[in-house]
Amino acid sequence: MRGCPPLDCNDADALVNPGATELCGNGTDDDCDGTPDNNTDPGAFVLFYIDSDGDGFGDAAISNSACAQPAGYVANDNDCDDTDPNIFPGQNCSAVCSAAESAWVNANFADYRDALMNAFSNCLFENDPALCIQNELEGAGFPLSAECNACGVTWATCVRANCLIACVQGQAACEACMNTAGCNAGLMLCFGLTDADADGWPAGSDCSDTNAAIHPQAPELCDGVDNDCDGQIDEGNVCCPDNDADGFTTCAGDCDDSDSQVSPDATEVCDGIDNNCDGQVDEGGVCVCAPAGTPCDDGNACTVNDTEDGACNCISGTNAPVGTVCDDGDPNTSNDVCNGTGICIGTPCTDNDADGFTTCQGDCNDNNLNINPARPELCNGVDDDCDGQVDEGCAPETCNGIDDDGDGLTDAADPSLVLVPCENQIGVCSGTQKTANLCVGGIWLTCAASDYAIGSPVYETTETTCDTQDNDCDGQVDEDNVCDPCSGPNVCNISGQCFTSGQANPVAYCQVCNPLQSTTSWSFRPFGTVCIQGTDCTFSSVCDGLGQCGPLLNRPAGTACDDGNPNTSNDMCNGTGICIGTPCTDNDASPITNTCHPGLWKSAMAWTTTATVPWTMGCPGALPLALHPVPGGLGQAQALAVPCGADRRFGPWGAGGPQPSRLQVSNAASDVWRFGDNSGRWRHTLLVRGPPRLVPPRHGRWSTA
């Protein structure tokens, strides 16, 4: 009809209409054009993954971007073996267990779980509980590798970290915690098994994997169902219970199974009740008043020590202590307790958040209207529906780049990320888990040495500690002689001490460690090896080839030597190993110390302008001398050849040079002159009209004043 809008092809879905944008991969005709998934915009395409084995799970390595699902492709990439249709997530698809191992655990989970729980209890207080549990599981005889058993170790670590208190409170609380903490889900994931009802039991060992109340450890109920998966229905008198534990079930004639004082074996008393279940009340003349003082119960939980008064009246005794649990009979109160005066008082029920549920009606958080027994459970780490479980039915967060549990956090950003074992689970590395930061881009990175060190405080990159453990996780324990360092190929163990090859006996140099000859006793150095170095007056001592050092022999008397004393000369050995020199002398009182240091001036001399200085050389041969004026003084440098022993006097100094008889300094009183040999070895300073002092020479040497 003219003017009518296009027809809505699904009027029950507001997102489907002729004006909607066609979405890819959902199999829906979103825009009502008659064809689903026909968007041609590549930006809207989604990835599909090849499913070569047709098991409904795709191979992450081969993908195709399209709008409509191509034939032979699926929307997930979870298959760990796309060549075998019998291996897929939930069925033998494990990263650490073989298909055969996963299948064994799937069929024998009850046995494995019992062994795992026993190991957990036995190893609870061990220094290394993970290693202890691994050893106990390996000793159970199951056909599982250490890597596969590590799944159980990881589960135990999760329970230890999250559920110890809950497990002390009882089995029901313990099981609930293991489910909510993700321990059971992590175990199923590690083994590659399916647990559709999230009850902690895989499909292969759960007779109903769609009902969390049915599994091998569930209590049998009187409901016509095999609740505990033992092949029997309603066994063990569950339909004839003995709720009051008086030894009689309802099938055995207990007429009030809520009162342990009522049973076919009870004694009839005067209380208006058929105590012995014979169909009669107070028969046999029992209604005779008890003597005064006979204990009775006045029906008030807030009194104790009640007694009969002899007239068939029960008199209240003393008041029960404050806090004694009671029931005030008011459905609008909770947490009823005695107040110490014989009165039971309850706390009024509230509905602070106005969500329609009071604290007495099961509201577990009366300050949040989004939490009450009628709310749906969300994947947010909160018990939204107040059933005592958190996030039940939610998928565990795994490292895959997807927000599995729907809490808005993905992979490492989600504190509930299920951690997986590191690659090496040998030795002290057993039980080491990857930390969340190793989940990058939806893929687990390989554990480094630092990760193993975090997982085990005794981990070592190279075995160095003797502790009967495989510290470097290479499958060997205390290798490379860490427990006996003296047992190597290049050492000797002599009298309990360890010496390296070539190391000498500390008290006998001629004895040495030579493992090629002996590793337990000293070997001898060859004959002639110097053991004590000689001096100027002694010969070197040598080894005798039998481990002993020969005697020290003195050089003959008169052998030239050097006693190291600059004030002696003509040093010679005295025949007893001692070098002795002749003390230096200066018998002629010349300016030079003749016997020890020819040419060395003994001291500076102060001259006057008319001083005459006679002196005699005491060295053999001719010694050239030079007279050097200090800059600023008068005269010129003049070299003079003076024969050894000659008596020379230098005359007046002037423009014409020195005279043969005297040296006369006639200028300023501060003129400084130096005498010395041309070799530059010795210097002598002459100071005119002033005290002697040191003067730097022209060539960087110091004069001796």
Side-chain angles (χ1 to χ4, degrees), residues 2 8 24 88 90 117 133 169 216 268 343 356 383-384 414 458:
R2 179 179 296 178
D8 190 337
C24 290
F88 51 82
M117 293 295 287
I133 292 173
Q169 295 171 344
E268 190 72 18
I343 300 175
D383 180 12
D384 305 277
D414 193 335
V458 295

Side-chain angles (χ1 to χ4, degrees), residues 435-455:
T435 51
N437 64 295
L438 291 180
C439 177
V440 178
I443 299 175
W444 284 110
L445 302 182
T446 302
C447 288
S450 57
D451 300 302
Y452 292 109
I454 293 173

Side-chain angles (χ1 to χ4, degrees), residues 147-165:
E147 291 78 10
C148 191
N149 268 329
C151 292
V153 176
T154 302
W155 172 89
T157 302
C158 176
V159 174
R160 182 185 180 92
N162 299 284
C163 300
L164 282 184
I165 295 177

Side-chain angles (χ1 to χ4, degrees), residues 460-481:
E460 299 170 348
T461 55
T462 302
E463 196 87 6
T464 58
T465 304
C466 174
D467 58 0
T468 69
Q469 298 189 76
D470 179 10
N471 303 89
D472 57 1
C473 306
D474 63 352
Q476 304 179 69
V477 176
D478 295 339
E479 69 270 20
D480 298 331
N481 303 309

Side-chain angles (χ1 to χ4, degrees), residues 355-388:
D355 59 1
F357 288 86
T358 67
T359 53
C360 298
Q361 294 172 314
D363 193 338
C364 53
N365 187 339
D366 200 36
N367 295 311
N368 189 333
L369 59 83
N370 293 314
I371 298 177
N372 59 61
R375 299 294 297 184
E377 187 69 17
L378 304 178
C379 297
N380 57 3
V382 176
D383 180 12
D384 305 277
D385 56 5
C386 294
D387 64 351

Side-chain angles (χ1 to χ4, degrees), residues 76 215 533 624:
N76 69 80
H215 54 76
Q533 189 66 42

